[in-house]
Every structure is written in structure tokens, then in C-alpha cells.
């Protein structure tokens, strides 16, 4: 029987949380303020997830168009790797001692973009099919196949249960609403997995769902890539 397990993500923070105030949020005057963190009762892993999401939100507020251009680039390209480094240098780290997996930050950026766009849009989700293999042209390593498979999985989940997929993406890390959304989404997650048992972190799943939702319902980044990167 297929089983899907969601585990908490482990982000590599050099300074232990709650020293995660090393991240900041820009306010309307461009000043950096301490990042928002969950209150008491949350695990260190949930706090780490919140830090990554806050970091992504700060980057988007600092330069929204640059974030859009970054996510429009083929993710395995040298240009994308360089732009990831550039976009991360936006004054959002008060202490520059944060190490992160670029793929996790990419997912968090999609969470921010989708929630920002969804706040001003209404209506049912209609998932447009996307050829994710087009993102991996020129990449021959096993990670390219994994990249495509993971997004096909997320697309399946969104198609089966768009409402709870959106609820997962919209929920704060470690919140009661997130736990409820994941519980409700569990049947779709289990139906869409390939193999007998798969484990993903919540950070990964939320990022994948956000990417599929954003790219297939809000903005087709693939078709707009040339225009956005000019």
C-alpha cells in the first residue's frame, strides 16, 4: 500500500535559533527589521522553516521583479546559480551566516509569489499542464529526472485537491491551519506518489505545490521566460 509521510525540514542554520533574528524584513522605508518567528510551542525545525519563508518574503519585497526573473531561468543553468547568489544579497540577512539549499529557497519564493498573487485573485484553480522537462534541457544528471518527477507529483496533487493544496501553501509553518491542511490533503498526496513509500519535508512539499500553483494558474513562467529576462 502506498504511504506518504511528511517530515519536518532541517535547514542548515549556523547560528542556532532563536538566533534566527539574524534575518530581517524590509519595512516601507527600506530599513531591516527582525524577522517574524513563531511563538512558543513550535519546534526548532518549524522555526527554521519560518525563517526561510520570512527570508524569501524579504527578498521579494526588496526586489520583486528580480525574483520573477530568477524563477524564470532554467534552474540548472549557471546563470540561475549566479542570480540566486545575487538575489540573496538584498540586505535581508543581518548576520551573514545563513547556509541554505537553493532549491528550498526557490520553493519558498514560489510560496511568497503565489500567496501574493492569490490575495488579489478569485475563482477556482484550473491547472494548466506544464512540460517540466523543458526546465532541465542540457542537464543530464539524475537530479534532472528527480526534478521533473517531483513536479509531476505536485501537479497531480494540485489537480486532485486544489483547495487543500492552496490551503497548505497559504498556511504559516507549524500552524494549526497547516496541520489541518496537510491532514486533509493526505489522500491526494498518497494517491500521487510513485512507489510504495515516499518521505518529503513539509518545506519541500509546500514549495512544490506553490510552484505548480503559481506557474500553472497565476503566471506561466516558461512561456514568459524570454520576455521576463530581457
Amino acid at each position: 500500500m502506498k504511504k506518504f509521510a511528511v517530515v519536518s525540514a532541517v535547514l542548515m542554520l549556523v547560528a542556532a535559533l532563536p538566533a534566527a533574528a539574524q534575518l530581517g524584513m524590509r519595512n516601507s522605508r527600506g530599513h531591516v527589521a527582525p524577522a517574524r518567528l513563531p511563538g512558543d510551542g513550535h519546534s526548532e525545525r518549524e522555526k527554521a522553516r519560518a525563517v526561510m519563508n520570512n527570508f524569501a518574503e524579504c527578498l521579494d519585497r526588496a526586489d520583486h521583479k528580480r525574483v520573477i526573473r530568477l524563477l524564470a531561468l532554467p534552474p540548472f543553468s549557471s546563470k540561475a546559480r549566479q542570480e540566486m547568489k545575487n538575489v540573496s544579497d538584498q540586505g535581508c540577512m543581518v548576520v551573514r551566516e545563513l547556509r541554505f539549499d537553493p532549491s528550498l529557497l526557490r520553493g519558498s519564493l514560489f510560496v511568497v509569489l503565489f500567496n501574493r498573487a492569490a490575495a488579489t485573485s478569485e475563482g477556482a484553480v484550473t491547472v494548466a499542464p506544464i512540460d517540466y522537462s523543458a526546465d532541465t534541457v542540457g542537464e543530464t544528471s539524475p537530479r534532472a529526472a528527480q526534478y521533473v518527477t517531483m513536479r509531476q507529483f505536485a501537479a497531480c496533487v494540485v489537480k486532485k485537491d486544489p483547495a487543500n493544496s492552496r490551503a497548505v501553501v497559504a498556511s504559516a509553518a507549524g500552524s494549526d491551519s497547516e496541520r489541518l491542511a496537510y491532514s486533509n490533503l493526505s489522500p491526494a498526496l498518497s494517491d500521487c506518489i510513485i512507489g510504495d513509500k515516499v518521505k518529503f519535508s513539509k518545506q519541500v512539499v509546500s514549495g512544490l505545490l506553490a510552484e505548480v500553483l503559481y506557474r500553472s494558474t497565476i503566471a506561466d513562467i516558461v512561456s514568459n521566460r524570454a520576455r521576463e529576462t530581457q
Side-chain angles (χ1 to χ4, degrees):
M1 182 178 68
K2 292 183 177 181
K3 293 183 179 179
F4 184 93
V6 178
V7 297
S8 296
V10 180
L11 304 181
M12 299 179 291
L13 294 172
V14 176
L17 295 167
Q22 60 185 311
L23 299 184
M25 294 289 294
R26 286 180 182 270
N27 60 24
S28 59
R29 296 182 179 179
H31 299 150
V32 176
R36 302 187 307 273
L37 293 177
D40 295 337
H42 294 270
S43 69
E44 295 301 297
R45 292 180 178 181
E46 288 173 337
K47 291 178 181 179
R49 290 174 53 217
V51 166
M52 178 63 83
N53 292 340
N54 288 343
F55 182 43
E57 186 176 347
C58 180
L59 294 177
D60 183 62
R61 290 190 180 190
D63 196 336
H64 176 68
K65 290 183 178 179
R66 193 169 193 174
V67 168
I68 292 291
R69 289 196 298 270
L70 165 65
L71 297 179
L73 293 170
F76 295 102
S77 66
S78 58
K79 187 174 182 180
R81 289 192 293 271
Q82 183 58 50
E83 188 61 18
M84 178 66 77
K85 294 178 181 179
N86 294 340
V87 79
S88 299
D89 187 17
Q90 297 290 335
C92 290
M93 283 185 273
V94 178
V95 177
R96 298 178 181 277
E97 293 185 347
L98 175 70
R99 295 199 306 267
F100 55 82
D101 183 337
S103 65
L104 292 181
L105 177 56
R106 177 183 168 88
S108 290
L109 289 171
F110 272 115
V111 168
V112 171
L113 290 185
F114 179 74
N115 285 330
R116 173 175 174 164
T120 58
S121 65
E122 298 180 358
V125 173
T126 301
V127 181
I130 293 177
D131 178 12
Y132 293 102
S133 63
D135 295 351
T136 66
V137 172
E139 179 63 38
T140 58
S141 68
R143 62 180 183 161
Q146 182 184 46
Y147 172 96
V148 174
T149 299
M150 291 173 71
R151 279 149 188 82
Q152 289 174 338
F153 158 76
C156 172
V157 173
V158 170
K159 186 175 182 179
K160 282 182 174 292
D161 193 344
N164 283 307
S165 294
R166 293 184 72 153
V168 163
V169 174
S171 300
S175 64
D176 289 341
S177 60
E178 184 190 54
R179 283 187 281 272
L180 177 61
Y182 266 111
S183 177
N184 292 338
L185 191 62
S186 181
L189 292 170
S190 295
D191 286 346
C192 291
I193 63 172
I194 300 174
D196 293 330
K197 188 174 183 179
V198 176
K199 287 186 178 181
F200 284 139
S201 73
K202 288 183 177 178
Q203 189 79 22
V204 169
V205 174
S206 295
L208 288 172
L209 294 175
E211 179 174 351
V212 168
L213 284 165
Y214 182 81
R215 292 178 63 175
S216 62
T217 68
I218 300 297
D220 188 346
I221 290 181
V222 174
S223 65
N224 290 329
R225 180 173 294 158
R227 185 188 67 186
E228 295 286 357
T229 57
Q230 287 178 352

